[in-house]
Amino acid sequence: MKFTELNLPDLVQQGVVDAGFESLTPVQEESIPLALAGKDVAAQAQTGTGKTAAFLISLFCKLLASGKRTSNNPRALVMAPTRELVVQICKDAETLGRHTGLKVQPIFGGVDYEKQRNALKDGVDIIVATPGRLIDYFKQRVFSMDRVEALVIDEADRMFDMGFIKDLRYILRKLPPFEKRQTMLFSATLSAQVMELAYEFMDLAEKVQIEPEQVAAEKIDQILYHVSRKEKFALLLGLLKKESGVERVMLFVNTKAEAERLNGLLNANEVASALLSGDIPQKKRMRILDQFKLGSLTHLVATDVASRGIHVDNVTHVINYDLPQDREDYVHRIGRTARAGATGRAISFADEETVYQLADIEDYLGEKVPSEMPLDEDFCFNYKRAIPKRKKPPEKKPAGDGQKRRRRRRPRRRPGGKPGENSAGDKDKSSGGGAPAGGGEKD
């Protein structure tokens, strides 16, 4: 089906053209007509299949049809589990909704507390948010949820995994009743937990389930190498030099310590790389992602915080430097490439520790991951070791109250005198005996 067959409003159709969309993906073809008809939708589809465009187009059409004006109380709410996903949804909304005049505001923690607060007061049509900060502003009465006409819950399965369900239920109870709003729920899996949420807070939701021929996204060329842990970096460096068509590479590891070590090795060997992990400040994370998207950074080392919610065009390679401990994370990691119909390559390393995860991953995929032993020419052992960071010397503790400590003077002894007597033959005050010098007057 073509987008022109949907009879979208002209202002929305122009955004679709700007985004370069022509034909609908399967999840769009099934969910958008239902949403345009005012139905509640619970949709399951793989990552990278156009779910974001499906609900944004539906939201824009609904809000334009209602004809209400922008105010400081939102008319639509989109909930997402990660800050990166919030940012990505807003960027897609900027393109698709460019001609609608609707104001979309991201709300998430880590940055711009007062700026986001003031933006809500200035007026907003659609809020795209993570639950925590949204609840914070709501409890401060910065905005009200009374005017919300439509709710979208994106990556609903991830909401459960990340422990957001309590916050999500709080928000749902503050919204208008489900019969007075439209609700759309999108998830990679419609688990029993997700469907329980649908039955409780949605109005007879229409279920859309796009079953892929395979769990992993199509057009991903997968390969796995069996390699010892000590030789992993030598193999990585050799493959990066050997692989063709390398433009942007995401490398996934399981721990922050390993991510720091790998990032240091890449940079020491003149590979433009940056680190993305959960404790990186939000402004820095966004700057790193912008550099990666623009191409000034070609390699991004990440923990699983980055395996969802990041959509970067032309990620040509995903490398599982460590096989993930959660089998579903394998699919989400390699899903960073081959998005929107493009092709990509996923390379995984199975060492003596992570190889035990392989059977579980293959069971989830429903197929074997093609594997082989690396050849001698695949390795590059002549590489530079990362220079360890120098530890800062411990700071000297202040003496206290800003005062310098005075060094206690020892009493001087007169030659041949007794301990505790000064040169004048008087006993020192510190010895505890006699009257003070100077005729017995106090200092």
Side-chain angles (χ1 to χ4, degrees), residues 134-409:
L134 184 76
I135 293 175
D136 187 12
Y137 289 141
F138 176 75
K139 287 182 175 179
Q140 295 178 38
R141 299 186 179 180
V142 177
F143 71 97
S144 168
M145 298 191 197
D146 294 341
R147 295 181 74 238
V148 171
E149 304 170 34
L151 167 71
V152 175
I153 303 172
D154 195 18
E155 298 280 10
D157 56 336
R158 194 64 164 174
M159 289 282 195
F160 284 95
D161 293 343
M162 299 178 71
F164 284 131
I165 188 58
K166 185 177 179 181
D167 289 343
L168 190 56
R169 288 183 181 275
Y170 175 86
I171 292 167
L172 286 163
R173 291 190 177 103
K174 298 300 179 182
L175 292 169
F178 59 75
E179 65 269 13
K180 293 184 179 180
R181 69 166 193 267
Q182 184 179 19
T183 306
M184 290 176 275
L185 184 151
F186 290 82
S187 180
T189 56
L190 290 179
S191 64
Q193 288 178 312
V194 173
M195 289 312 298
E196 181 186 347
L197 194 72
Y199 294 139
E200 187 177 354
F201 293 101
M202 298 175 74
D203 187 15
L204 299 175
E206 296 284 346
K207 192 173 180 181
V208 173
Q209 202 158 1
I210 307 299
E211 294 289 352
E213 294 181 4
Q214 54 189 39
V215 175
E218 297 179 12
K219 299 186 179 180
I220 299 178
D221 179 23
Q222 300 179 61
I223 185 68
L224 179 138
Y225 291 98
H226 292 275
V227 60
S228 71
R229 193 164 188 82
K230 291 182 179 180
E231 296 178 331
K232 278 167 74 171
F233 186 74
L235 177 59
L236 172 66
L237 206 58
L239 291 177
L240 288 177
K241 293 178 179 180
K242 180 181 175 182
E243 285 283 316
S244 60
V246 176
E247 292 182 29
R248 290 179 180 85
V249 183
M250 292 191 72
L251 302 101
F252 286 100
V253 293
N254 291 342
T255 66
K256 178 194 168 189
E258 185 67 7
E260 291 176 342
R261 192 186 78 84
L262 178 57
N263 187 55
L265 282 168
L266 287 169
N267 282 298
N269 289 274
E270 300 179 355
V271 178
S273 170
L275 170 64
L276 199 67
S277 62
D279 57 352
I280 300 292
Q282 185 63 24
K283 285 186 177 179
K284 185 176 180 181
R285 288 167 73 175
M286 292 173 69
R287 185 172 68 250
I288 289 170
L289 282 173
D290 286 340
Q291 291 172 345
F292 188 58
K293 290 175 182 179
L294 292 171
S296 55
L297 275 175
T298 54
H299 295 68
L300 189 63
V301 179
T303 54
D304 281 308
V305 70
S307 65
R308 294 201 189 199
I310 295 179
H311 174 31
V312 179
D313 292 331
N314 301 321
V315 173
T316 54
H317 292 70
V318 168
I319 297 177
N320 287 305
Y321 194 76
D322 294 332
L323 278 180
Q325 296 172 333
D326 187 338
R327 62 184 190 174
E328 292 185 14
D329 285 334
Y330 177 86
V331 175
H332 294 301
R333 285 180 180 186
I334 68 174
R336 298 310 100 198
T337 187
R339 297 180 69 87
T343 58
R345 185 161 167 81
I347 301 172
S348 300
F349 294 162
D351 59 36
E352 58 269 28
E353 294 180 18
T354 62
V355 71
Y356 296 104
Q357 276 82 258
L358 181 58
D360 202 26
I361 290 170
E362 291 180 334
D363 180 64
Y364 181 66
L365 293 173
E367 61 181 356
K368 292 282 186 182
V369 179
S371 63
E372 60 184 59
M373 296 297 292
L375 304 173
D376 290 342
E377 56 263 30
D378 293 330
F379 291 92
C380 178
F381 289 105
N382 185 24
Y383 63 87
K384 297 177 183 177
R385 269 59 179 174
I387 302 173
K389 293 182 179 179
R390 291 184 178 180
K391 293 184 178 180
K392 293 182 180 179
E395 296 182 2
K396 293 182 179 180
K397 295 182 179 180
D401 299 328
Q403 300 293 326
K404 292 182 179 179
R405 291 181 179 177
R406 293 183 178 180
R407 190 173 182 180
R408 195 171 181 178
R409 295 179 62 188

Side-chain angles (χ1 to χ4, degrees), residues 43-58:
Q44 173 187 330
Q46 286 176 285
T47 182
T49 54
K51 291 180 290 186
T52 303
F55 67 71
L56 285 176
I57 290 170
S58 303

Side-chain angles (χ1 to χ4, degrees), residues 26-41:
V27 68
Q28 292 169 349
E29 189 169 342
E30 290 200 31
S31 62
I32 293 178
L34 291 171
L36 294 179
K39 303 282 188 180
D40 283 8
V41 178

